[in-house]
Structures are given as structure tokens and as C-alpha cells.
Amino acid sequence: MKSVSVFAPASVANVNCGYDVLGFAVHRPGDEVHMSLNGSGVVSIDHIGGDDGRLPRDPAKNSVSAVVINYLKHIGSEQGLGIKLYKKMPFGSGLGSSAASAVGGLVAVNELMGNPLTRMELLPFAMEGERIACGNAHADNVAPSLLGGIILIRSYDPLDVISLPVPDQLCCGLVYPHVEIPTMAARQIIRTSIPMSSAIRQWGNVGGLVAGLFTNDAGLIGRSLVDHIVEPVRKMLIPHFDEMRTIALEYGALGFGISGSGPTVFALCTDENTAGKVTSALAEKLKEHGLGSTCYVSPINKQGARVIETG
Ligand code: HSE
């Protein structure tokens, strides 16, 4: 095999109560990475589309090429290859854009090398991509994009990553209001110490959400989708957040919250029809306020990144 194209999906990190420890993948949007062996002995960025020239072209600074270089070093390969990255989702949107690109690069290079590493073994390389992109190696976007499904990062040191059950029919509505919030900035405003009373309520919800997924209990999942720690601070960055939550719940969402570091908001619903109605109602409300938005409706993506073409 000389070339490969990979689709890597967007993801919803935190899932309200699980800051940095919970995330799930969706089917759309997502990025595409095309990679080909070229015998040059170096890794190059040959093309980036859809980024308006914003991403670094220097292979050492671009997170996709940087993770690929680390990967090749790790497996002891001196292969040269060219990377084409097609950005198909907005920057600073809270949809795990940088994560999808790094995951796409890693799945592509691993495929070209004959898959010497498992998806789980690729995870630490993808996390380093997050450090390059936003200064912190969190896994709650890269792990779902790489592995698919709903993921719990029980521990970072040592890394302990668990795939949770995905109840059938669960569907996610995503609404991206057209404002940009860089993840690094959204992390800097979070308090670094929290009251014990908030912590107690939060870990009750994390346990409740995990139990709800295992028992397919929609009511328990909905009751647990509450964030007492991060959302109260971050929601100030997101226009009309509280109004959107009221609408989402009125239209039948199980729960509503910030996707990753925002400004995208997500509504988890028991079926695609409800998710569609919720996102339309939210987009309509934002329009009334004079704000454009982009909507996506997607079931949980159980597969994660996938090879779409080989040559
Ligand atoms: N857990 C990370 C955060 C995800 O909320 O900052 C970033 O998308």
C-alpha cells in the first residue's frame, strides 16, 4: 500500500459532568487525512484545505505531522511521507477539531506501516498532539475519535481508558454558534480548586451517568447530565446558553450542555427525530438573536476513525 485516506470524527468532550474524563464520538462532522509514501525520508505537509491558512505548515509545529513524526520515531521507521489534511470542521468550536486531525494522521500512518500498533497504543501519541495544539494533553476528544463510542478516562497516570456501553437510539444534536473560543483560553478561566459540596454532586453524576449507560436508563442518563463545576464558569462565554438549555429540555432532550470547551452545545436525545427538532429550535432562537449557527445531528459513532480509501 502506497497511500491511504482516513476519516476521523468530531467528538463531544466532558459530557457535562466528566471534565477531561468523558467523551463520545459522532459521525459528522470530521476531518480527512490523505497520506502517501514518497521515499523522501522526511515527513512533509503537502496541502491543508479548509483552514484559511491558519495551521502551521512546518512539519515540526503542525500537530498532525508532529504526531506522525513521533510515531515513526517510536517504531524505528525512516519512511518519508506526504500529508494532505482536509479540515472539515471549524476551529475553536468545541468539536475536537485538533483531536480529529491528529487521530486521522495516526490512523493513516499506522495503516501505511501495516498496523504495528493497536488503536489503544496510538492514544498517547494523539494526546501529545493535543498538547501541541492547546497546551494540555487531555484525552477526552482524541480517545473517542480514535476508539469510537463513549469513553471514560478513569486515570491519566497510569493511562486507564474504558469503553462504555452505547444505548441504541441515543442521538446527539450539536449546534455551533458562530463565535470562536480557543480551548486554551477556555481552560484558563476554570477554577483550580472547588468546594467539596460541588465535588460530591459532580462525582454522583459521573457515577449516575456510567450506571445509566450500563443499564440503558434514559431517565438516569438525563438526571446525571449536569455539570456543577465547569459549566457555571464557561457558559458566560456562550451566547444565550441558559435560554438554549430551556429550549432543548422543552423539546425533549435528555440533557444539554457545552461540547468540550464550547461554544458548540450538545443535546443528548433518545432518538434522531427529537435531536433534529431540538437543534432546529436552538438554531432558530440564535437566528432571532442575530447569530448564525451550524447544526449537526448524529448517533454516537461506535467505530471512530476509519480508513476510507487505500491506493
Ligand atoms: N476537556 C477539554 C476541555 C476538552 O474542556 O477543556 C476540550 O475540547
Side-chain angles (χ1 to χ4, degrees):
M1 189 194 304
K2 289 275 178 359
S3 70
V4 64
S5 294
V6 169
F7 169 83
S11 48
V12 173
N14 302 335
V15 201
N16 285 1
C17 51
Y19 179 67
D20 279 358
V21 302
L22 284 170
F24 61 80
V26 288
H27 287 284
R28 51 193 162 270
D31 283 349
E32 277 176 35
V33 175
H34 179 86
M35 197 175 282
S36 40
L37 298 177
N38 58 19
S40 65
V42 293
V43 172
S44 60
I45 301 272
D46 294 345
H47 173 78
I48 302 181
D51 74 326
D52 291 328
R54 292 175 57 177
L55 290 175
R57 267 56 182 172
D58 175 349
K61 293 190 181 135
N62 180 290
S63 59
V64 184
S65 39
V67 298
V68 169
I69 291 167
N70 284 345
Y71 167 96
L72 290 172
K73 206 178 286 171
H74 174 82
I75 64 159
S77 168
E78 291 181 0
Q79 280 285 1
L81 46 85
I83 300 172
K84 293 180 181 162
L85 170 64
Y86 300 94
K87 290 298 304 172
K88 301 208 167 168
M89 61 175 124
F91 290 93
S93 60
L95 289 163
S97 172
S98 56
S101 299
V103 164
L106 285 164
V107 170
V109 69
N110 199 40
E111 188 75 20
L112 281 178
M113 297 299 125
N115 287 310
L117 300 194
T118 63
R119 290 278 172 117
M120 198 61 96
E121 286 167 342
L122 293 178
L123 182 56
F125 295 93
M127 289 167 64
E128 277 311 306
E130 290 292 69
R131 195 192 303 284
I132 294 165
C134 79
N136 186 273
H138 52 274
D140 50 344
N141 287 116
V142 282
S145 183
L146 188 58
L147 306 168
I150 307 175
I151 299 291
L152 167 70
I153 299 112
R154 190 206 60 81
S155 159
Y156 275 87
D157 188 15
L159 196 56
D160 188 0
V161 174
I162 295 142
S163 285
L164 299 173
V166 179
D168 287 340
Q169 308 300 327
L170 209 57
C171 191
C172 180
L174 292 161
V175 179
Y176 160 53
H178 292 166
V179 293
E180 185 172 328
I181 301 179
T183 297
M184 198 185 286
R187 293 183 76 84
Q188 281 163 354
I189 61 169
I190 294 170
R191 284 187 283 265
T192 48
S193 51
I194 54 170
M196 180 62 93
S197 56
S198 303
I200 290 169
R201 294 202 287 173
Q202 196 85 353
W203 57 56
N205 283 334
V206 174
L209 180 53
V210 171
L213 294 171
F214 270 94
T215 56
N216 199 352
D217 182 337
L220 179 56
I221 292 171
R223 293 200 298 285
S224 307
L225 283 169
V226 181
D227 177 2
H228 296 285
I229 294 173
V230 177
E231 180 188 290
V233 182
R234 278 190 176 164
K235 72 176 183 178
M236 293 163 211
L237 301 174
I238 300 172
H240 316 293
F241 182 83
D242 286 327
E243 196 180 5
M244 285 198 283
R245 188 210 320 268
T246 304
I247 292 168
L249 298 180
E250 264 172 23
Y251 275 77
L254 287 177
F256 169 86
I258 305 171
S259 174
S261 53
T264 296
V265 291
F266 79 101
L268 211 52
C269 303
T270 45
D271 60 274
E272 197 154 350
N273 188 33
T274 308
K277 285 184 183 155
V278 170
T279 50
S280 303
L282 295 178
E284 196 53 42
K285 182 51 71 181
L286 289 174
K287 198 170 156 199
E288 272 173 43
H289 286 294
L291 201 59
S293 62
T294 308
C295 297
Y296 308 93
V297 173
S298 169
I300 310 291
N301 178 342
K302 296 186 189 174
Q303 184 186 7
R306 64 179 201 280
V307 173
I308 49 178
E309 206 180 312
T310 56

